[in-house]
Amino acid sequence: MTTFLGLPGGLPHADRHTGQVEGSLRFPDAARTALADGQLRTNIGAATRTIRTKRAAVVAEVPDWEELREAGRAIKTDTMARLPELLLQLEENVTARGGVVHWARDATQANAIVAGLVRAVGATEVVKVKSMVTQEIGLNEALAERGITAWETDLAELIVQLGHDKPSHILVPAIHRNRAQIREIFLREMPGVDSGLTDEPRDLAMAARRYLRAKFLTAQVAVSGANFAVADTGTLTVVESEGNGRMCLTLPQTLITVMGIEKVVPTFSDLEVFLQLLPRSSTGERMNPYTSMWTGVTPGDGPQDVHLVLLDNGRTATLADQVGRAALHCIRCSACLNVCPVYERTGGHAYGSVYPGPIGAVLSPQLTGITGGDDPNDSLPYASSLCGACFDACPVKIDIPNLLVNLRAQHTEAHADTHRIPSAEQIAMAATAWAMSSPSRWARAQATTRAGRLLGRRRQVIRALPAPLSAWTAARDLPRPPTETFRQWWAARDAGEHR
Amino acid sequence: MKIALFITCLADTVYPSVGRATVAVLERLGHEVVFPAGQTCCGQMHVNTGYQRQAVPLIRQHVEVFEPYDLIVAPSGSCVGSVRHQHGQVARRAGDEGLATAAETVAARTYELSELLVDVLGVDDVGAVFPHRVTYHPTCHSLRLLRVGDKPLRLLRNVAGIDLVELPEADQCCGFGGTFALKNAETSAAMLADKMSNVLATGASVCTAGDASCLMHIGGGLSRLATSTRAVHLAEILASTDGTVEVRS
């Protein structure tokens, strides 16, 4: 156990029950629904394959892509090493330019701050720029409880919101829906929609545009996240494709930005690296259509009441782990989701948290804290075959497989620390480690596997085994053990040669 | 050259023919193969399942056994990947800096079979004969941890009589992932199903790879489908001089 001086009990983690940082089912159980849904697998498979191909093409045309990735990694590593001072510098610069900075330890505090700010201007509605962090903290629901309606203005987020659904991807939250399903949602849920709506993408986009335009023009308050915040200037940045963000960031009088503390970058010129890495990695575009930057308040131009809510929600606890903190380097591009063979089969909902895919599997459990118990987030680090495609795709070179392996170790060690009776797996691992740490014991253990020859005599393969190995034989045969091990064969050959 | 064979626990116990084939290829090329008898397992399964502390004695055993050798080969991208990328780190996490350093020395002398043949021994034609339609699955750890690139394919292209066909979506994981195949068995099986469709689409009679573990998974799936397509280790094809591989007894 690590001891944190001055903070008895360790650093605070995100509350599992506020917002959406943990689902209700462990990954294998949550995945079962998705695996059985052929339509879902088709939708996700087709969509990820398209984005994957686009990304590969635009990444290949950048001659210094590897150097850019390394620069991204270096900037993030430096940022995490001096996060407190950079955050104070950010606060100072935002304040100096007329913005107001708020600090929120967790989701509950952040939601209360935002709700208070909306109430203070007497608004009952807010328009929202697509943001992961406000979903993490469950802002829309928290505002609704206080009589404030939040309207999602990103097309895919709107589809999710109108469908009373949950996002399943970081970049394309409605990836699990096809256009026929989207048409049905619009016809059912969008007030004033043309009943002759077709499922043509342009038709669907125009319906959303008409619907949203009225919201943009009447909203007093906008809520956004931020892709980056520049410490040395106090500049906030939102990168988007549809222009809905630009509308939200410029039209309302009050602008409230909620941002995880890890989103800060040291200098304005650091954006040069990330603004090249992000669009190519996320949408597979050379450049995103809209990049909005604002620094405090500009008198007479844009929002005059500008707020920044800095959210911890388990990030400082994550930062305390020297390996695990690399998860905080994430720029939410979702390239790792699009290349992940597990995500492609299960979709995002199986991960429970708003952060799905490989990055979610290393971020969500760290935000809530690894317990060693049956918590759904403790199952996420195991939701990977460790194929490494995510590490290769990551624009800031987060070694996700290594993080997963380390979180698995934290899980089993926390389990051993909190359970008096070891699990069957723990016993099996200890027994095999004991056998394998001595060649003579290992040779004896190998001899017992030959008992397996009694099985599968007819077909030369084993087709059924009891639990937990039944999980293997449900879909695969197992070879019948050979008559002699390699070491036995070698010893016999050796003896023959030396005779 | 004198080459120490790191057989891997899986090949030792379940696929001894892969070990015999590795020995055959290297001896045919005029090298001396030794088998350090004290070897057991690299500990990858323990590390990847979350049992790093339990893996430390295995790593120590591995390092002590292989430290005397200048050149070590394993017929597995995954186990070499563990030796290279995990041993030092796991030892360091356990606070054993001495073991970490020794492990890194051993790791620097350890090669996967295709790396040893092409990079160290400078051979890309091992004189094999295998007149069958073959498709090659690049296992994730050879591809992305070791970056073996096209070395296995260069070796295969020079096999006499081979009809080498490209595997569609070759870089996609087969779904094995060690205990992943048990802990997330249904997701693993869904990945395997897609891998098998791609293998079968090639019309190959043999699917080959550099890892017995992934082949156990793919082969186990193919066997369940009752197809005639078999999973055969790269070493077995390279060892073959008469177009056959050892039949399992």
Side-chain angles (χ1 to χ4, degrees):
Chain A
M1 283 295 282
T2 317
T3 309
F4 300 99
L5 293 175
L7 276 171
L11 294 163
H13 286 102
D15 175 21
R16 294 168 191 277
H17 308 294
T18 309
Q20 199 192 325
V21 280
E22 182 167 55
S24 54
L25 293 174
R26 294 167 56 76
F27 187 85
D29 299 322
R32 198 159 293 130
T33 325
L35 288 165
D37 185 342
Q39 179 68 61
L40 179 76
R41 271 173 73 183
T42 308
N43 292 356
I44 293 174
T48 52
R49 207 164 293 133
T50 306
I51 309 179
R52 221 159 48 212
T53 312
K54 273 180 75 180
R55 177 198 162 272
V58 295
V59 161
E61 66 187 25
V62 182
D64 61 347
W65 183 253
E66 286 309 313
E67 287 82 355
L68 270 175
R69 289 178 78 212
E70 183 51 36
R73 191 199 63 78
I75 295 166
K76 287 291 183 181
T77 306
D78 168 53
T79 301
M80 295 313 147
R82 52 196 184 96
L83 195 56
E85 70 174 75
L86 290 171
L87 288 169
L88 291 173
Q89 193 188 3
L90 175 69
E91 178 185 38
E92 194 180 309
N93 286 317
V94 169
T95 310
R97 294 292 298 264
V100 183
V101 176
H102 311 260
W103 298 80
R105 166 172 287 206
D106 55 27
T108 306
Q109 280 189 7
N111 288 334
I113 292 167
V114 176
L117 293 169
V118 177
R119 274 205 189 124
V121 298
T124 55
E125 289 188 355
V126 301
V127 284
K128 282 190 69 200
V129 185
K130 175 173 166 32
S131 111
M132 295 306 298
V133 76
T134 57
Q135 287 170 9
E136 173 190 327
I137 61 176
L139 179 66
N140 292 8
E141 294 75 12
L143 290 177
E145 280 169 19
R146 295 163 170 92
I148 301 163
T149 310
W151 302 105
E152 293 291 347
T153 67
D154 171 87
L155 178 53
E157 290 293 355
L158 177 68
I159 295 164
V160 169
Q161 189 178 36
L162 290 176
H164 309 288
D165 199 359
K166 283 181 173 174
S168 66
H169 190 283
I170 290 174
L171 177 78
V172 271
I175 194 169
H176 55 293
R177 299 291 197 187
N178 63 22
R179 59 198 216 191
Q181 294 170 318
I182 294 166
R183 173 178 170 270
E184 283 164 29
I185 292 169
F186 280 12
L187 285 175
R188 200 173 62 231
E189 302 284 344
M190 190 182 273
V193 74
D194 178 0
S195 58
L197 183 70
T198 74
D199 65 1
E200 283 305 309
R202 183 185 155 79
D203 228 25
L204 295 171
M206 290 309 288
R209 188 184 166 95
R210 270 191 299 276
Y211 173 73
L212 290 170
R213 192 53 54 110
K215 308 281 181 214
F216 292 132
L217 293 172
T218 53
Q220 288 172 267
V221 180
V223 176
S224 83
N227 290 97
F228 309 100
V230 182
D232 78 342
T233 59
T235 306
L236 301 180
T237 310
V238 162
V239 172
E240 47 127 3
S241 297
E242 296 172 14
N244 64 301
R246 179 67 56 80
M247 296 274 196
C248 293
L249 297 168
T250 52
L251 290 171
Q253 273 296 298
T254 297
L255 172 59
I256 305 163
T257 300
V258 185
M259 186 190 97
I261 52 173
E262 81 281 23
K263 296 282 159 201
V264 68
V265 296
T267 69
F268 197 82
S269 59
D270 294 330
L271 292 179
E272 180 253 346
V273 172
F274 296 112
L275 292 179
Q276 290 185 74
L277 288 170
L278 182 52
R280 287 181 198 261
S281 301
S282 62
T283 49
E285 293 168 304
R286 296 188 178 107
M287 195 177 173
N288 51 289
Y290 294 87
T291 300
S292 300
M293 295 182 177
W294 66 102
T295 309
V297 175
T298 304
D301 183 13
Q304 299 297 296
D305 180 24
V306 171
H307 298 268
L308 173 63
V309 182
L310 292 170
L311 176 77
D312 188 314
N313 212 31
R315 286 163 174 78
T316 302
T318 305
L319 188 67
D321 184 313
Q322 291 207 15
V323 176
R325 69 163 60 160
L328 298 175
H329 296 188
C330 174
I331 58 173
R332 309 283 187 267
C333 72
S334 64
C336 63
L337 278 61
N338 301 329
V339 299
C340 177
V342 173
Y343 178 88
E344 189 181 330
R345 300 322 183 287
T346 66
H349 291 156
Y351 295 81
S353 158
V354 71
Y355 301 111
I359 188 63
V362 294
L363 184 60
S364 309
Q366 295 198 89
L367 292 178
T368 53
I370 289 279
T371 64
D374 290 332
D375 309 83
N377 276 356
D378 263 49
S379 71
L380 292 180
Y382 292 92
S384 166
S385 65
L386 304 177
C387 86
C390 48
F391 183 21
D392 271 11
C394 178
V396 292
K397 294 173 82 169
I398 303 172
D399 187 350
I400 295 176
N402 192 37
L403 266 65
L404 289 166
V405 166
N406 270 286
L407 289 172
R408 292 176 184 184
Q410 286 179 24
H411 167 77
T412 63
E413 286 162 18
H415 181 93
D417 289 346
T418 51
H419 293 70
R420 276 184 48 225
I421 301 167
S423 66
E425 178 187 279
Q426 210 176 324
I427 293 166
M429 288 290 167
T432 48
W434 179 78
M436 286 171 158
S437 52
S438 142
S440 54
R441 286 198 295 262
W442 173 229
R444 283 198 295 278
Q446 282 180 313
T448 65
T449 66
R450 266 196 307 287
R453 284 185 65 77
L454 296 170
L455 301 164
R457 267 173 297 181
R458 201 159 58 85
R459 300 174 192 264
Q460 297 300 315
V461 291
I462 299 166
R463 304 203 67 169
L465 285 169
L469 295 173
S470 54
W472 177 278
T473 52
R476 321 148 184 93
D477 292 340
L478 204 61
R480 199 175 170 217
T483 47
E484 62 177 358
T485 62
F486 178 84
R487 70 185 61 224
Q488 288 172 322
W489 172 80
W490 181 272
R493 186 179 98 136
D494 233 16
E497 276 183 5
H498 296 150
R499 202 175 294 142
Chain B
M1 267 197 249
K2 184 173 169 180
I3 302 162
L5 175 63
F6 159 30
I7 182 67
T8 79
C9 64
L10 181 66
D12 184 9
T13 314
V14 185
Y15 295 103
S17 58
V18 172
R20 284 191 281 271
T22 306
V23 174
V25 174
L26 295 173
E27 289 184 347
R28 193 168 72 217
L29 294 170
H31 301 284
E32 182 197 352
V33 180
V34 291
F35 179 72
Q39 62 181 291
T40 57
C41 166
C42 66
Q44 182 182 195
M45 177 184 75
H46 291 84
V47 174
N48 285 353
T49 311
Y51 295 86
Q52 295 201 20
R53 289 176 191 163
Q54 290 81 348
V56 173
L58 275 63
I59 294 171
R60 186 171 294 117
Q61 175 73 17
H62 182 89
V63 169
E64 282 170 7
V65 166
F66 284 100
E67 224 171 4
Y69 300 94
D70 294 328
L71 198 52
I72 303 150
V73 69
S76 163
S78 197
C79 303
V80 173
S82 180
V83 166
R84 256 186 227 168
H85 296 277
Q86 294 185 329
H87 278 191
Q89 195 178 324
V90 172
R92 210 158 270 131
R93 185 175 184 269
D96 195 337
E97 188 56 40
L99 178 60
T101 311
E104 280 157 3
T105 308
V106 170
R109 301 175 190 157
T110 306
Y111 297 88
E112 178 272 338
L113 180 62
S114 74
E115 291 179 326
L116 178 85
L117 290 168
V118 176
D119 290 347
V120 184
L121 306 177
V123 181
D124 56 15
D125 185 346
V126 297
V129 179
F130 198 71
H132 302 280
R133 176 172 278 209
V134 174
T135 194
Y136 168 72
H137 165 62
T139 65
C140 299
H141 291 175
S142 344
L143 189 70
R144 286 179 279 261
L145 264 185
L146 302 186
R147 310 265 174 209
V148 301
D150 69 345
K151 284 161 210 164
L153 285 170
R154 278 161 65 187
L155 291 160
L156 285 169
R157 279 187 206 114
N158 286 313
V159 171
I162 198 167
D163 174 15
L164 192 61
V165 282
E166 196 181 324
L167 178 65
E169 302 193 351
D171 64 350
Q172 293 288 305
C173 177
C174 74
F176 174 61
T179 47
F180 170 78
L182 300 176
K183 285 176 179 282
N184 282 283
E186 287 150 87
T187 306
S188 164
M191 290 158 71
L192 175 61
D194 292 342
K195 178 57 70 183
M196 290 193 296
S197 311
N198 284 319
V199 168
L200 296 174
T202 64
S205 60
V206 167
C207 173
T208 192
D211 272 281
S213 51
C214 310
L215 288 171
M216 178 171 74
H217 191 234
I218 298 170
L222 290 170
S223 159
R224 180 60 57 88
L225 289 183
T227 68
S228 59
T229 306
R230 295 170 301 155
V232 174
H233 195 280
L234 175 68
E236 296 181 282
I237 294 179
L238 298 181
S240 181
T241 50
D242 60 359
T244 66
V245 294
E246 213 181 299
V247 178
R248 295 177 55 80
S249 56

